[in-house]
Each structure stands twice: as structure tokens, then as C-alpha cells.
Amino acid sequence: MILQLALILFCIMAIPTAVLTWYSGSQIIQNSEAAIGESTLAGLNANRRLNENALANLAQDTSRLAATNIFDRIRSFETYDEINANYNNVSLALSVTKELLNLNRRVDGVYSSFFVLEDSDYVFSTDSSITTLARYEPIGWITEALKGRRGISGVWVPRKLASGENVVSYVYPLNRLSTTTRGVIVVNMKESQIGKYLHATEVGDSNYLLLDAAGTVISFNDRSMLLSDSRKLPFLQEILNQEASEGYTFRKLEGKRTVYAWSRSSLSGWWNVSWSSMDELMTKSREMQGNIILLTGAIIVLGTLLAIFLATWLSRPLRQLVQTIRSKIDVGVVNKNELAFLDLALNGCRRRKRVCFSYCRSVNRIPAVWPYTVCCAVRFRRGSRRFFRMPAT
């Protein structure tokens, strides 16, 4: 009896508690994942805007320099020899180099800059000063880069210098509306500086990736992947095929659940992509879930003890009744709980009552039409039986 009551009370208490714990735990994990996804996307957008602002400032400074008349002073110098012809020419050329150096200082992370006059055989640069094109790194890539130019703004080109430095070059042809001088200004920003902007909100084991519109890697932690096709990386092809300009998704990478976030710039068409391991980001949520499970386990243990106590207390009157019946009547029931004992005892009493009633009718010839004739007393003794009847009044 005690075991049955304890089991019933335990199920009433434990099953709802377990279900509630499971549901609350799953909701905590789902809400945490959604919050992490939104936070990752917000951080990625913040990094993208920071990088865009830095590049925009560099582009504005370059356009301001191009709007001055500094390049008009050396427009007539078509050859390197003409510059070195006299001191005045050299002084004018050095003033151009000085302005390029000032341009480098206005924005953090600029590696070098140079200016090439159209149809000339020399170049003004901050890394090699004034030198001939034959002794400078190749500049044939400029023509190819300007083919995709739209409007009067410049173009950004990721490339690798002859020195081995990875840069993102801003190529800006002089505006024909503001000057008659024909030439191109090129400013080389370090890829590492762009990487700093991308990692400004880095949390834990995170990876950030900057791609151009074609999917070429501009900036990434793995230097060997620079200027290569990003589609070689897991899930990048899927992300580049997304119609949404920004979003996040969860994937499994190397056995770890990972959150991927992406954001595409409406200005340049470049892609900012990041991915982070959820195992590290979900540490606090997992700890909270574990604490809830431990608390639930403690509640179930205490509830079990309480269920045993209540079962003992509630079954005490019934157990006393069974003990009283067993002390006075031997019903032949062994190894049965209290409820089963009472059921068998009551069934036995009913069966004896029917036998007693039938015997009384046969001995005393009680008419069958007396439906209310009852056997008022039955006394069982060893070796003798006495029956009494009393008609109903």
C-alpha cells in the first residue's frame, strides 16, 4: 500500500517537473542561439561600417588631393630626365611626393601611394620617391582595374605587391572636370589594417572574412587563402548564393555547431562573413541548463522523500483496519497489500452472506416473495453454526 501511494505521488510530482525542466531547458538553448545569432550579425555589421568608413575617408582624402593644382605643376614633364634637368623641376616633383606622404598619414594603415602621369616614363611614390617606371613595380594592372569603373569615383583592387605585402589599392584617375592633367593616384592600404577593422568586435574563437563581389578573398586569418576563391571554404558557396543581403545560419563544422553570419555592402558589393563556434558562446547557457537540471534532481529527491512520508501517513488508518480484520477473521489471504486484502475480505463476506441467506430460506421455508427477509446475524464457531432470521417490518 505504501509503495503504491508513494509511486502515485512520485509520478504526480516527478513527471510534470521533468517535462517542465526539459521544455524550459530547450527554450533557453533556442533563445540563446537566436540571441547569439543576432549579436554576431550586429557585430559583423558594426565591423563592416567601420571598415567602410575608413575606406571612404581614404577615398575622400584622395579626391581632395586630386582637386588641388599640385599635379598641374608637373604636367609638362613627360620624361624622368626633364624632372632632373634643373633644381626648380626637382623641387616641384618633390612637392608632389610630399603631398602623397601627407595623404598616407591621414588614414591609419596606408602602406604606400604613388602617382603616374599619363604618357610619362616615371612615377612619384612614397616608397621609392621619384623613379622611372622600369625600376618600379609593374603598373599594367591599373588599366584592367579601371575597366569596371563607374562614374568619377575610384575603384578598390586587392592585390599583392612585389615586396610580398598584401594590400587593397584605391585607384583614382584625376577628374577631367577639375583639371586638365591626366594621371592616376594609387593608394595602397595594408590588408592587415582592414583585418583589424574586421576583428574589432571579435569574441572567442571567431573567424572573419572579407570578399569582393566575385568571391575573391580580400582579408582572412589564413594568409594562404588571400586573393583565392572563397568557395573552397565550407558553406561559403551556400552563403554567396543567398538572396538576402544579411543574415545568419547554424551549421556543423568539424563536429562543432557553428554560427555563420554574413552582410553584403550595398556600396561596394563586398561580402563580410564570420563564423564562430557555438560551444564557446553557449558556455553560460549550458551552465544555466546544468544548474536547472541539478535543481530539478534535488527537487525530485526531496519530493520522493515527501511522497514516502505522505504515503505512510495517509495509509495508516487503512493498515490499522486491515490489522484489526486479520486479528479477528482469517480470510486466508497472504502476501497481499491492504487494498487487495480488503477486496478479497469483502468479496468473501458477500459470498458467505449469499450462502447464509440461501441456507436460511431452505431451513425456515422463507417464501420467495419475501424480498426483504435478511439474515440478521451469522455467528461462526468451531464445530457449530447458528442462524437467526427476522422478517422485515
Side-chain angles (χ1 to χ4, degrees):
M1 179 65 183
I2 297 177
L3 181 60
Q4 285 85 349
L5 284 176
L7 182 61
I8 292 172
L9 292 174
F10 175 79
C11 293
I12 293 175
M13 177 272 301
I15 292 178
T17 303
V19 172
L20 181 61
T21 301
W22 169 81
Y23 177 77
S24 60
S26 61
Q27 289 299 309
I28 288 174
I29 296 300
Q30 291 179 7
N31 293 336
S32 298
E33 287 185 348
I36 289 173
E38 294 292 342
S39 176
T40 302
L41 181 59
L44 186 66
N45 283 328
N47 294 345
R48 176 181 58 80
R49 287 190 290 268
L50 179 62
N51 185 47
E52 287 180 348
N53 289 337
L55 297 181
N57 290 336
L58 180 58
Q60 290 177 2
D61 291 338
T62 304
S63 64
R64 292 192 190 100
L65 177 60
T68 63
N69 62 352
I70 188 67
F71 300 109
D72 295 338
R73 302 173 186 176
I74 49 92
R75 180 175 54 192
S76 60
F77 305 150
E78 296 183 355
T79 65
Y80 182 73
D81 294 333
E82 290 183 32
I83 294 179
N84 293 321
N86 56 64
Y87 175 79
N88 187 42
N89 292 353
V90 173
S91 178
L92 291 175
L94 289 176
S95 65
V96 173
T97 305
K98 183 179 179 181
E99 290 298 328
L100 291 176
L101 287 171
N102 291 334
L103 176 63
N104 292 357
R105 299 189 186 99
R106 292 190 186 120
V107 179
D108 294 335
V110 175
Y111 180 78
S112 65
S113 59
F114 63 88
F115 173 76
V116 179
L117 188 67
E118 189 177 286
D119 299 328
S120 66
D121 65 346
Y122 60 90
V123 59
F124 300 93
S125 68
T126 58
D127 53 348
S128 299
S129 188
I130 307 170
T131 185
T132 61
L133 292 177
R135 288 183 291 182
Y136 199 66
E137 65 176 25
I139 61 172
W141 58 271
I142 295 179
T143 304
E144 185 67 23
L146 291 177
K147 288 182 179 180
R149 180 185 179 221
R150 295 180 180 179
I152 61 174
S153 61
V155 294
W156 292 96
V157 182
R159 65 192 186 96
K160 189 173 185 178
L161 301 179
S163 61
E165 182 75 24
N166 288 96
V167 297
V168 180
S169 300
Y170 182 65
V171 183
Y172 185 81
L174 297 183
N175 190 353
R176 297 185 178 183
L177 299 178
S178 59
T179 180
T180 57
T181 304
R182 299 290 178 263
V184 178
I185 303 174
V186 177
V187 184
N188 299 317
M189 173 171 278
K190 295 180 182 179
E191 178 275 331
S192 58
Q193 182 64 32
I194 294 179
K196 290 181 181 179
Y197 295 141
L198 297 180
H199 292 77
T201 59
E202 181 176 357
V203 178
D205 184 17
S206 302
N207 294 276
Y208 289 86
L209 185 67
L210 179 63
L211 313 174
D212 63 10
T216 302
V217 178
I218 298 175
S219 180
F220 186 41
N221 298 344
D222 186 358
R223 318 296 295 179
S224 62
M225 289 291 298
L226 295 178
L227 304 180
S228 64
D229 189 1
S230 63
R231 293 174 178 84
K232 299 177 182 178
L233 296 171
F235 308 112
L236 261 295
Q237 178 65 51
E238 178 184 349
I239 291 176
L240 293 177
N241 292 335
Q242 294 286 340
E243 295 183 359
S245 60
E246 64 178 36
Y248 62 87
T249 184
F250 298 97
R251 293 292 183 268
K252 202 164 187 179
L253 180 64
E254 298 178 354
K256 297 181 180 179
R257 188 166 172 77
T258 305
V259 55
Y260 278 82
W262 70 90
S263 177
R264 188 175 186 181
S265 173
S266 59
L267 300 176
S268 61
W270 289 1
W271 292 82
N272 288 69
V273 182
S274 71
W275 62 92
S276 307
S277 174
M278 292 294 292
D279 294 338
E280 183 176 352
L281 298 176
M282 292 287 290
T283 301
K284 292 185 178 180
S285 298
R286 298 293 183 187
E287 290 179 355
M288 182 182 296
Q289 187 182 32
N291 293 334
I292 292 176
I293 293 175
L294 290 177
L295 180 60
T296 303
I299 292 174
I300 290 177
V301 171
L302 294 176
T304 301
L305 297 177
L306 180 61
I308 294 174
F309 172 76
L310 290 176
T312 304
W313 178 66
L314 292 174
S315 64
R316 182 177 299 172
L318 189 58
R319 286 186 287 112
Q320 291 176 351
L321 175 61
V322 170
Q323 291 176 359
T324 302
I325 294 175
R326 279 179 173 170
S327 64
K328 295 183 178 181
I329 301 176
D330 184 11
V331 295
V333 178
V334 183
N335 297 328
K336 296 288 186 180
N337 61 41
E338 288 80 359
L339 294 177
F341 176 84
L342 289 177
D343 180 62
L344 293 175
L346 292 176
N347 287 336
C349 289
R350 276 194 345 216
R351 186 170 57 254
R352 291 186 181 93
K353 178 181 176 181
R354 287 195 300 269
V355 172
C356 175
F357 183 72
S358 300
Y359 185 78
C360 288
R361 289 184 58 188
S362 62
V363 172
N364 297 283
R365 301 180 184 276
I366 300 175
V369 296
W370 290 0
Y372 300 102
T373 301
V374 297
C375 181
C376 64
V378 178
R379 181 178 301 172
F380 294 93
R381 291 182 180 178
R382 293 182 180 178
S384 65
R385 296 179 181 178
R386 295 184 180 179
F387 303 93
F388 302 90
R389 66 178 178 83
M390 181 178 66
T393 57

